[in-house]
Amino acid sequence: MRVTFNRVASRTAVDSARSTLAALTVSVGTAGLAAAGAQPGLLALVDQHAAAVRDSLDGDRRPLTAAALAGYAEGVHAAALEHGWVPPSGPVNWSEPEWPLARLVAVCALARSLPGA
């Protein structure tokens, strides 16, 4: 059986996107979403960020995908670094997370809602 190049590239892109989202979930998503479950104010903040991400990706008109969310997260991360943000190296104070962290946790929340997640 012969596999066309497009199908291989597409599958690789999907795997790469899922890998990016998995790494993001391990680094900030799991702890952030657990904290949001215990802190109503943080949950509201993450929900607001998730709505903004969904809006940015036209999530109301077309289904969100792992590739779209991974690309968005990579863009947020890169832009934050360019503006001097330093990712936390230790425990995070989830009572007042920095904007990039809240946005990335929101991406993780949206990723959990994807089919097959």
Side-chain angles (χ1 to χ4, degrees):
M1 179 174 153
R2 197 165 184 196
V3 177
T4 64
F5 178 74
N6 289 343
R7 293 183 93 190
V8 172
S10 177
R11 185 68 186 152
T12 301
V14 170
D15 290 343
S16 177
R18 287 186 178 146
S19 176
T20 295
L21 292 173
L24 181 62
T25 298
V26 167
S27 66
V28 298
T30 301
L33 291 170
Q39 300 175 31
L42 178 59
L43 181 59
L45 179 66
V46 170
D47 285 346
Q48 290 170 353
H49 277 275
V53 171
R54 192 179 303 107
D55 187 52
S56 293
L57 297 174
D58 283 333
D60 292 336
R61 289 190 235 161
R62 58 181 172 206
L64 293 176
T65 64
L69 289 173
Y72 186 91
E74 288 173 341
V76 166
H77 187 259
L81 292 175
E82 286 178 17
H83 286 91
W85 178 64
V86 178
S89 59
V92 172
N93 176 6
W94 289 108
S95 63
E96 294 184 26
E98 296 175 284
W99 187 93
L101 280 180
R103 199 62 149 210
L104 294 172
V105 170
V107 170
C108 292
L110 291 168
R112 283 187 171 182
S113 70
L114 294 176

